[in-house]
Amino acid sequence: MSEVKLPAELPAPKIGFVSLGCPKALVDSELILTQLSAEGYRTAKNFEGADLVIVNTCGFIDDAVRESLDTIGEALAENGRVIVTGCLGARTVPGAAGDANLVRQVHPRVLAVTGPHATQEVMDAVHAHCPKPHDPFLDLVPATGIKLTPRHYAYLKISEGCNHRCTFCIIPSMRGDLVSRPVGDVLHEARGLFDSGVRELLVISQDTSAYGVDLKYRTGFWDGRPIRTRMFELVEALGALAEPYGAWVRLHYVYPYPSVDEVIDLMARGRVLPYLDVPFQHSHPDVLRRMKRPASGEKNLERLERWRRDCPQLVVRSTFIAGFPGETEEEFQHLLDFMREAQIDRAGCFAYSPVAGAAANELPGMLAPELREERRARFMAVAEGVSAAKLERRIGCEMQVLVDAAPGLGRKGGVGRSYADAPEIDGTVRLLAPQKASKTLKVGEFTRARIVAAEGHDLIAMPV
Ligand code: SF4
């Protein structure tokens, strides 16, 4: 007689997972993976070995849409059982009647499609198509959940959605209006991350400076004490939490509102990194108006000057769009002048790319793709000049560096980042082999290093 297998003895289903898109999508992926793991599902290393595949997509620009659709196609070809989530899942076919879903139109064989920020819907689809195992190994999940970043840094999402309606962006139509997470939950997660070894916390959202606006900055609770749901209070509390761990707190997606001035003071006092990611996108007031940008009326040059006066070590990263519909040569020159005067430490630039469904596509004066690209290249030439001069000035300084890679305990050197470099978007500090035999480098630990040269976007340094 053959032996009957009890449900608990059956191997847990394996789920393949692909995470595409921005850090916000990455956080969604982490939530889904954490839930899968909590329920006892295993992860598969490739499509073939999986019982089902989840693809978390990006729908922001056309290249990302193509990459997401291609990945779904590959998963269908190699596995056949695919659930799609993420921003692309919320996109409809432009011009089609009855809100036809874009993913379903291109790949009708997918099992389910959800929009972003939909852990429960994804889990419902997983349960329907690949029932959960009988015995969940809850204890195997670390308290911090599953992280897709290296162990020593992590993204902390403080809100979802956005109240603005920038004409080039379709995020609000996909993710909805701003919804801030309760301040106590955010701080609880941050403490868990520091406890688990995170040494750099990257605060993200669509609009970090707007944190709490939707909740009218209501008072929440943390550690038995009242605390307002507001950017300054949150950042101050994160800085205090990070201090005993010697960890960094880095702020992304901050708009230049007057309220940010008080956060600069926290930076000057060393509570959080003197680094601000401010997506200016343009400088000319008319272009900013056409873009419907938040804080477009602010005097950004004066504000930057004041911030740097109050916090001289401040590093500013920003992104820009060249060749926005109707951009005149004069408006573009204004942007180049702004870049030279504002001395943005780290700047990225996209040539304007029409995103299906974005209001900007209806604006008059769409520029030829070659002209958009030419302006992007001219902008980057100026931006790289500014950045290179700033990096040169660091030669001879000693900086604290967080080590990201150090094979063989760094005896032949490694790679790290200073406070001026966010992971994946800025440059790195290439660490030379330490001169002292006793000096080792370990991933996730800090080292002091003397800057000896600059090369492209990177610095080269000798650990001391
Ligand atoms: S601020 Fe503008 S660009 Fe950013 S998410 Fe909101 S609408 Fe999009």
Side-chain angles (χ1 to χ4, degrees), residues 162-166 168-172 206-207 255 293-294:
C162 178
N163 285 346
H164 303 292
R165 296 293 180 264
C166 301
F168 56 81
C169 177
I170 54 168
I171 286 177
Q206 310 294 347
D207 180 357
Y255 287 100
R293 287 297 287 164

Side-chain angles (χ1 to χ4, degrees), residues 309-331:
R309 190 194 60 216
D310 295 345
C311 180
Q313 64 277 42
L314 181 69
V315 160
V316 178
R317 135 159 292 276
S318 190
T319 45
F320 296 88
I321 296 175
F324 190 73
E327 184 189 62
T328 61
E329 177 61 27
E330 188 205 335
E331 287 167 344

Side-chain angles (χ1 to χ4, degrees), residues 6 35 55 61 69 114 137 146 166-167 178 180 278 295 332 335 345 349 379 381 420 447:
L6 294 172
Q35 191 57 34
V55 183
I61 55 171
L69 290 172
T114 85
F137 296 108
I146 307 292
C166 301
T167 51
L178 177 79
S180 301
V278 188
F332 178 65
L335 176 60
D345 302 72
C349 183
F379 177 91
T447 183

Side-chain angles (χ1 to χ4, degrees), residues 138-440:
L138 284 166
D139 297 343
L140 296 181
V141 180
T144 50
I146 307 292
K147 293 280 153 207
L148 294 173
T149 44
R151 188 168 165 263
H152 61 283
Y153 68 81
Y155 295 99
L156 180 71
K157 183 152 71 170
I158 61 170
S159 61
E160 186 56 69
C162 178
N163 285 346
H164 303 292
R165 296 293 180 264
C166 301
T167 51
F168 56 81
C169 177
I170 54 168
I171 286 177
S173 66
M174 294 193 286
R175 295 187 172 237
D177 282 341
L178 177 79
V179 179
S180 301
R181 291 180 61 199
V183 64
D185 288 7
V186 174
L187 291 168
H188 179 76
E189 183 179 342
R191 180 149 70 188
L193 290 167
F194 290 136
D195 278 342
S196 72
V198 164
R199 291 297 168 263
E200 179 178 6
L201 198 63
L202 302 126
V203 176
I204 57 165
S205 67
Q206 310 294 347
D207 180 357
T208 296
S209 16
Y211 178 64
V213 167
D214 54 315
L215 302 175
K216 302 199 170 47
Y217 305 120
R218 80 170 172 224
T219 302
F221 282 90
W222 164 243
D223 258 358
R225 282 193 303 274
I227 174 168
R228 283 182 83 196
T229 312
R230 208 171 74 100
M231 183 192 183
F232 173 78
E233 281 80 356
L234 174 69
V235 173
E236 187 178 41
L238 286 173
L241 261 181
E243 197 181 1
Y245 302 88
W248 288 347
V249 176
R250 190 184 294 281
L251 305 182
H252 288 277
Y253 311 114
V254 175
Y255 287 100
Y257 295 115
S259 60
V260 177
D261 294 358
E262 45 186 349
V263 175
I264 300 292
D265 181 52
L266 290 176
M267 294 179 175
R269 290 191 280 127
R271 306 308 297 266
V272 294
L273 289 184
Y275 176 103
L276 261 192
D277 176 3
V278 188
F280 286 114
Q281 307 300 10
H282 212 282
S283 63
H284 196 285
D286 292 343
V287 181
L288 289 170
R289 257 193 298 280
R290 293 201 295 277
M291 289 180 167
K292 291 209 178 139
R293 287 297 287 164
S296 61
E298 297 297 332
K299 297 199 166 88
N300 289 334
L301 273 177
E302 287 170 27
R303 173 144 284 123
L304 278 171
E305 206 176 298
R306 212 167 45 248
W307 285 352
R308 289 207 171 102
R309 190 194 60 216
D310 295 345
C311 180
Q313 64 277 42
L314 181 69
V315 160
V316 178
R317 135 159 292 276
S318 190
T319 45
F320 296 88
I321 296 175
F324 190 73
E327 184 189 62
T328 61
E329 177 61 27
E330 188 205 335
E331 287 167 344
F332 178 65
Q333 284 294 339
H334 189 280
L335 176 60
L336 294 184
D337 291 344
F338 174 81
M339 182 60 219
R340 288 187 195 100
E341 273 188 71
Q343 292 283 297
I344 304 293
D345 302 72
R346 301 285 198 182
C349 183
F350 296 103
Y352 177 73
S353 148
V355 174
N361 300 339
E362 310 307 321
L363 291 173
M366 185 71 77
L367 304 187
E370 306 76 51
L371 182 55
R372 291 182 235 152
E373 183 50 40
E374 184 211 295
R375 287 189 181 166
R376 187 202 67 80
R378 283 163 68 198
F379 177 91
M380 283 314 294
V382 174
E384 276 160 15
V386 170
S387 170
K390 293 211 161 207
L391 291 179
E392 282 288 321
R393 270 181 249 143
R394 294 209 183 268
I395 296 174
C397 301
E398 222 178 271
M399 298 184 86
Q400 192 189 28
V401 174
L402 180 57
V403 179
D404 285 328
L409 287 179
R411 296 206 197 279
K412 292 190 178 157
V415 181
R417 289 172 295 104
S418 75
Y419 80 91
D421 315 303
E424 288 162 38
I425 49 174
D426 294 328
T428 59
V429 179
R430 301 214 299 270
L431 295 162
L432 301 169
Q435 283 169 330
K436 272 192 264 166
S438 59
K439 172 89 185 166
T440 55

Side-chain angles (χ1 to χ4, degrees), residues 26-41:
L26 190 75
V27 173
D28 285 352
S29 295
E30 290 173 346
L31 291 173
I32 296 166
L33 282 166
T34 300
Q35 191 57 34
L36 284 168
S37 187
E39 294 187 11
Y41 289 94

